[in-house]
Amino acid sequence: MNNSQRKDIHNSEVPVVCQACEVRHRGVCGALNGEQLMRLSKHTKRHAISHAAELTTGGRSAERYANIMSGVVKLSKLMADGRQQIVGLQFAPDFVGRPFANADGITVEAATDVRVCSFPRETLEGLMEEEPELEQRLHRQTLRELDEAREWMLTLGRKNAEEKVASFLYLIATHVDPEGQNGTTDITIDLPMKRGDIADFLGLTIETVSRNITKLRKRGVIDVVDRRTVFVADLHRLHSATSQDLSR
Amino acid sequence: MNNSQRKDIHNSEVPVVCQACEVRHRGVCGALNGEQLMRLSKHTKRHAISHAAELTTGGRSAERYANIMSGVVKLSKLMADGRQQIVGLQFAPDFVGRPFANADGITVEAATDVRVCSFPRETLEGLMEEEPELEQRLHRQTLRELDEAREWMLTLGRKNAEEKVASFLYLIATHVDPEGQNGTTDITIDLPMKRGDIADFLGLTIETVSRNITKLRKRGVIDVVDRRTVFVADLHRLHSATSQDLSR
DNA sequence: CGCCTTCTTGAGGGGCGTCAAGCCCAGTGG
DNA sequence: CCACTGGGCTTGACGCCCCTCAAGAAGGCG
């Protein structure tokens, strides 16, 4: 099962660093041919970013864009008095960074330890002009993020605390998906963030998150292996906990 | 001040219907040259859609895309038991419709009376391939919608009822903006939707919306002219009501 | 005028926030 | 090896904000 070389007709043209890249075909790089990849890779850097570090500091702010190779990145907004709301989570192989300027007041942080492959803004924008499919891929990712944001607006505005927590667990379960999970209905979830982050994601407090994890456990929807790992015996059961019919 | 003809060097090439179009330069059409506009306009239709009608019915679902010429369009999500959340509002000259497939479970309705200029899906997608700037414009609008959705997530998750209502009024004030409002700090807002819609937008109930409009009136932040019109004497005052510092 | 829809206002209750105490566990140093 | 410490998490007690239920006011329209 030599996954690393599938589909590369002219492997000689593909940069060595890219040949070994886990997300090479799925990320935005999938839109580029060997020659373009070669040019891009001349300017790329791999970074390991440890948990809780901001991605926007250290000169890498709007200067560099990046692909997530592993880990989870969180986007959040902060109010003057300290209230905080997480407005997006990104997983490999998502693209991080904002084409065409400003990301008004959004903080980008590593939720877990993260590995990224970054490159200068100008390099990507140069490639965008010559390769329309690149812009199309970015456009599609933006549309996907918009869908997720809207799904989350429904959760924030109209679900109660228990449904919110179940929704979060379901989201993580379906995203961190380590290639397996096909056909299986049970899954062990490694929570990528601590209770405080989950609270900021759900528009709740730490205590309410904790109480409702306990509630789901007592109802038998989940098993709490340890504070960072949850076992779900039946994903459908979890899914139905994300929106109980309250009208009866 | 002949606004209608500004900037058209070769007006002869521009379709007559487009020459009179109020949003011709600002919408996605701004990316097209005369010849392309001519081709597009062969397939466009103007529609007047009256208040509360769905835009996705009558064969105009994924078949046709549209530009909003006037009025307000609302996007909403509905849960099985009737709970509803409005996840987006669109104003002229926004583009309505989803490039590349499915708009998973989103209902598109006219919030007010609306006029649109619509065209078949294939026509637009054909033009997108030959004119990259068209895709770029759509991409930029998607990014703007994403920003707005995230701003709204902060409102839904972390603001109290009074701040939510103030945020809604401020949003409308800064969007419906009838060309004027430059330099002035007061504005009369014509609310584009009824209390129930506002509640669905804010994740509140009708009663709470009503109570907090009253509250803002009694605090002198707004004047309620009639149930559909609000006068704001000082926009800055309204803005500061959108996020009072609760930490002291 | 009567009817219907929309909006406002009040009274009461519940869900989630606030405050506080205690548990679990990893890290540190004696 | 164990006491100490500190961060993260859980659990309880209590209170407030917003929802629920209900009645009435204000328009709009035949």
Side-chain angles (χ1 to χ4, degrees):
Chain A
M1 295 256 192
N2 51 343
N3 275 325
S4 61
Q5 299 199 4
R6 71 195 161 194
K7 265 205 184 168
D8 289 321
I9 314 285
H10 305 302
N11 254 336
S12 55
E13 284 182 4
V14 175
V16 178
V17 283
C18 297
Q19 284 185 39
C21 177
E22 306 92 315
V23 298
R24 146 125 175 63
H25 294 277
R26 295 186 298 143
V28 289
C29 298
L32 304 176
N33 63 35
E35 186 271 329
Q36 291 166 325
L37 261 187
M38 193 63 86
R39 245 186 304 151
L40 181 61
S41 70
K42 288 215 194 320
H43 304 279
T44 60
K45 280 189 205 158
R46 307 282 179 110
H47 303 263
I49 298 162
S50 58
H51 160 252
E54 267 197 52
L55 274 75
T56 46
T57 52
R60 196 157 55 264
S61 55
E63 304 304 313
R64 295 182 80 81
Y65 293 152
N67 286 321
I68 303 177
M69 302 182 61
S70 71
V72 180
V73 169
K74 68 179 189 196
L75 314 180
S76 58
K77 288 176 86 80
L78 188 62
M79 291 175 65
D81 60 1
R83 283 177 284 177
Q84 190 172 9
Q85 176 68 45
I86 293 180
V87 296
L89 287 180
Q90 308 201 276
F91 304 82
D94 287 348
F95 171 83
V96 175
R98 180 58 180 264
F100 329 120
N102 57 4
D104 75 283
I106 292 189
T107 306
V108 183
E109 285 171 281
T112 63
D113 290 346
V114 167
R115 285 182 305 123
V116 301
C117 178
S118 79
F119 34 84
R121 184 187 181 110
E122 311 85 50
T123 309
L124 185 83
E125 290 182 348
L127 284 170
M128 263 173 59
E129 284 182 21
E130 78 180 57
E131 183 57 79
E133 197 193 331
L134 181 57
E135 169 138 34
Q136 199 188 61
R137 287 226 181 191
L138 291 173
H139 190 183
R140 279 174 198 265
Q141 168 168 328
T142 307
L143 287 165
R144 192 163 12 93
E145 287 180 44
L146 184 58
D147 280 345
E148 287 167 6
R150 285 174 171 164
E151 185 64 36
W152 216 250
M153 289 173 75
L154 178 65
T155 301
L156 287 172
R158 290 303 183 196
K159 293 187 183 176
N160 64 27
E162 187 179 348
E163 292 172 323
K164 283 182 177 179
V165 171
S167 298
F168 170 76
L169 294 174
Y170 190 77
L171 175 83
I172 298 299
T174 51
H175 273 79
V176 212
D177 166 33
E179 303 277 343
Q181 195 240 342
N182 308 324
T184 64
T185 177
D186 64 336
I187 185 171
T188 300
I189 312 177
D190 184 52
L191 298 181
M193 44 219 259
K194 52 182 116 170
R195 299 291 185 273
D197 283 335
I198 300 176
D200 283 340
F201 194 51
L202 296 170
L204 298 172
T205 60
I206 294 182
E207 297 92 327
T208 304
V209 170
S210 180
R211 269 185 264 267
N212 282 280
I213 287 179
T214 303
K215 204 164 166 186
L216 288 169
R217 175 171 58 76
K218 287 187 176 162
R219 281 187 38 203
V221 180
I222 59 174
D223 286 329
V224 177
V225 181
D226 67 40
R227 40 178 69 177
R228 281 303 197 97
T229 26
V230 167
F231 174 75
V232 181
D234 184 355
L235 262 182
H236 304 99
R237 185 101 186 277
L238 179 59
H239 180 73
S240 71
T242 63
S243 55
Q244 321 153 11
D245 194 324
L246 302 180
S247 65
R248 55 205 175 78
Chain B
M1 296 258 191
N2 50 344
N3 275 327
S4 61
Q5 298 200 4
R6 70 195 160 191
K7 266 206 185 166
D8 287 322
I9 315 285
H10 304 301
N11 254 334
S12 53
E13 284 182 3
V14 176
V16 179
V17 281
C18 296
Q19 285 183 40
C21 177
E22 307 91 314
V23 299
R24 146 125 174 64
H25 294 278
R26 294 186 298 142
V28 290
C29 297
L32 304 176
N33 64 35
E35 185 271 329
Q36 291 166 327
L37 261 186
M38 194 63 87
R39 246 187 303 151
L40 181 61
S41 71
K42 289 218 193 319
H43 305 278
T44 61
K45 279 188 206 158
R46 306 283 179 110
H47 303 263
I49 299 163
S50 58
H51 162 251
E54 265 196 56
L55 272 75
T56 46
T57 52
R60 195 156 59 266
S61 55
E63 304 304 313
R64 295 182 80 82
Y65 294 152
N67 286 320
I68 303 176
M69 300 181 63
S70 71
V72 180
V73 169
K74 68 179 189 197
L75 314 180
S76 58
K77 287 176 88 76
L78 188 62
M79 292 175 63
D81 59 3
R83 284 178 285 178
Q84 190 172 9
Q85 176 68 45
I86 293 180
V87 296
L89 287 181
Q90 307 200 276
F91 304 83
D94 287 348
F95 170 84
V96 175
R98 179 59 181 264
F100 328 119
N102 56 3
D104 73 284
I106 292 188
T107 306
V108 183
E109 285 171 280
T112 63
D113 289 348
V114 167
R115 286 182 304 121
V116 300
C117 177
S118 79
F119 35 84
R121 183 187 181 110
E122 313 84 52
T123 310
L124 184 81
E125 289 180 349
L127 284 170
M128 261 173 59
E129 283 182 21
E130 77 180 59
E131 183 56 80
E133 197 193 331
L134 181 57
E135 169 138 33
Q136 200 189 57
R137 287 224 182 194
L138 291 173
H139 189 182
R140 279 173 197 266
Q141 168 167 328
T142 308
L143 286 166
R144 193 164 9 93
E145 287 179 45
L146 184 58
D147 280 344
E148 286 166 7
R150 286 176 169 164
E151 185 64 36
W152 215 251
M153 289 173 77
L154 179 64
T155 301
L156 287 172
R158 289 304 184 197
K159 293 187 184 175
N160 64 30
E162 187 178 347
E163 292 172 322
K164 282 182 178 180
V165 171
S167 298
F168 170 77
L169 294 175
Y170 190 77
L171 176 84
I172 298 300
T174 51
H175 274 80
V176 210
D177 165 35
E179 304 275 345
Q181 194 240 344
N182 307 325
T184 63
T185 177
D186 64 334
I187 185 172
T188 300
I189 312 176
D190 184 53
L191 298 181
M193 43 218 257
K194 52 182 112 167
R195 298 292 184 272
D197 283 334
I198 299 176
D200 283 341
F201 194 51
L202 296 170
L204 299 171
T205 59
I206 294 182
E207 297 92 325
T208 302
V209 170
S210 180
R211 269 187 263 268
N212 282 280
I213 287 179
T214 304
K215 206 165 165 185
L216 288 169
R217 176 171 59 74
K218 288 186 176 164
R219 284 187 35 203
V221 180
I222 59 174
D223 286 329
V224 177
V225 180
D226 67 41
R227 38 177 69 181
R228 282 305 197 97
T229 23
V230 167
F231 173 75
V232 181
D234 184 355
L235 262 183
H236 303 100
R237 184 100 186 279
L238 177 60
H239 180 73
S240 70
T242 62
S243 55
Q244 321 153 7
D245 194 325
L246 301 180
S247 65
R248 55 208 174 81

